[in-house]
């Protein structure tokens, strides 16, 4: 079994957006490298990167934002896929970057696709992206609890958002992931060093409460 290599971010950054919100991000790799924006999975802050040992060789500057309401980025009462992409565009402008590559993982896949529409993107990759849960063929493969959540998102979105905000925690999400992941995924998630870093990442993601995650859930379930 390959041991996951974890390196803390080389740099962090933040900027004050035009509406006075703070947008925060983490970076690995050479500052002069080709920028790659990583859209993280559900409830995650940007503190858990990947491929850090190869970034210098590949000349890649890995930039991982905290989505609004998660980690150190200010909440946004009207967060949307477009507003997130516009925040990233402001970050790129602030960093003097005219174009970027984008990678989306799990729930971050939908946000990565939004970036591809708003920013000047030279490459897009989706890794284990969240499925389109409203697609009938996909729904047949889902746990009934997930099917019910998708239906509630479409019929009572405000009720669902409030329930998630009031009840979901980093520990709850961590337990849910561990209980429903495949054996292949668990072989990585169960590694002590990775598990510690992942727990920290989720704790940071929920540091402002669960509203940021609830917004993301509704945005991605609606696609």
């Amino acid at each position: 079994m390959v041991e996951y290599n974890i390196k803390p971010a080389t740099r962090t950054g933040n900027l004050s957006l035009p509406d006075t919100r703070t947008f925060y991000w983490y970076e690995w790799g050479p500052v002069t490298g080709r920028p790659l924006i990583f859209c993280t999975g559900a409830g995650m802050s940007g503190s858990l990167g990947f491929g850090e040992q190869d970034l210098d060789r590949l000349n890649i500057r890995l930039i991982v934002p905290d989505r609004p309401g998660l980690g150190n980025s200010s909440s946004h009462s009207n967060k949307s896929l477009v507003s997130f992409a516009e925040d990233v565009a402001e970050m790129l402008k602030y960093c003097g970057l005219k174009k970027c590559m984008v990678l989306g993982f799990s729930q971050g896949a939908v946000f990565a696709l939004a970036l591809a529409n708003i920013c000047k993107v030279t490459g897009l990759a989706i890794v284990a992206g969240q499925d389109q849960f409203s697609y009938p063929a996909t729904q047949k493969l889902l746990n009934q609890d997930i099917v019910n959540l998708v239906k509630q998102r479409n019929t009572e979105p405000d009720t669902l958002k409030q329930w998630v905000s009031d009840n979901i925690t980093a520990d709850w999400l961590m337990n849910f992931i561990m209980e429903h992941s495949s054996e292949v995924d668990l072989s990585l998630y169960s590694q002590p060093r990775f598990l510690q870093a992942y727990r920290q990442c989720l704790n940071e993601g929920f540091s402002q409460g669960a509203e940021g995650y609830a917004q993301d859930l509704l945005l991605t379930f609606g696609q």
Side-chain angles (χ1 to χ4, degrees), residues 113-125:
L113 293 171
L115 290 186
N117 282 324
I118 300 293
C119 302
K120 188 173 182 180
V121 171
T122 59
L124 169 67

Side-chain angles (χ1 to χ4, degrees), residues 6-209:
I6 299 170
K7 294 183 179 180
T10 306
R11 300 171 298 277
T12 60
N14 69 88
L15 68 89
S16 180
L17 295 165
D19 61 3
T20 74
R21 287 183 297 112
T22 296
F23 194 68
Y24 193 92
W25 65 92
Y26 297 78
E27 294 191 25
W28 293 259
V31 70
T32 56
R34 295 176 295 153
L36 169 61
I37 309 299
F38 175 34
C39 298
T40 60
M44 297 172 65
S45 74
S47 68
L48 186 57
F50 71 96
E52 300 93 334
Q53 68 276 7
D54 297 315
L55 298 177
D56 287 335
R57 177 176 60 84
L58 296 172
N59 192 36
I60 290 177
R61 177 181 178 179
L62 179 64
I63 304 173
V64 191
D66 285 345
R67 289 195 287 273
L70 277 68
N72 292 306
S73 287
S74 301
S75 62
H76 188 328
S77 58
N78 295 311
K79 179 166 65 171
S80 67
L81 298 178
V82 171
S83 73
F84 169 71
E86 290 173 342
D87 289 348
V88 173
E90 289 288 339
M91 179 193 71
L92 292 171
K93 180 180 178 181
Y94 175 84
C95 294
L97 302 172
K98 295 182 179 180
K99 56 186 178 180
C100 66
M101 301 175 289
V102 176
L103 187 150
F105 164 68
S106 190
Q107 194 176 84
V110 179
F111 292 93
L113 293 171
L115 290 186
N117 282 324
I118 300 293
C119 302
K120 188 173 182 180
V121 171
T122 59
L124 169 67
I126 302 299
V127 177
Q130 176 178 303
D131 288 318
Q132 185 178 1
F133 291 157
S134 59
Y135 187 62
T138 301
Q139 280 206 1
K140 293 179 181 178
L141 304 174
L142 297 177
N143 178 290
Q144 188 59 44
D145 289 340
I146 302 298
V147 174
N148 292 339
L149 284 177
V150 174
K151 290 180 178 179
Q152 188 175 18
R153 185 260 177 256
N154 294 326
T155 58
E156 300 177 288
D158 292 339
T159 300
L160 176 60
K161 178 183 175 183
Q162 191 62 53
W163 184 89
V164 172
S165 299
D166 290 344
N167 293 279
I168 302 303
T169 65
D171 286 341
W172 186 97
L173 184 57
M174 183 80 247
N175 291 335
F176 180 87
I177 291 168
M178 297 298 284
E179 289 175 5
H180 293 85
S181 293
S182 67
E183 291 185 10
V184 172
D185 291 336
L186 288 174
S187 68
L188 171 62
Y189 294 164
S190 300
Q191 291 182 23
R193 293 185 68 236
F194 180 85
L195 185 59
Q196 180 181 7
Y198 192 20
R199 284 189 181 278
Q200 177 182 330
C201 180
L202 287 178
N203 286 335
E204 292 166 349
F206 280 79
S207 61
Q208 301 181 55

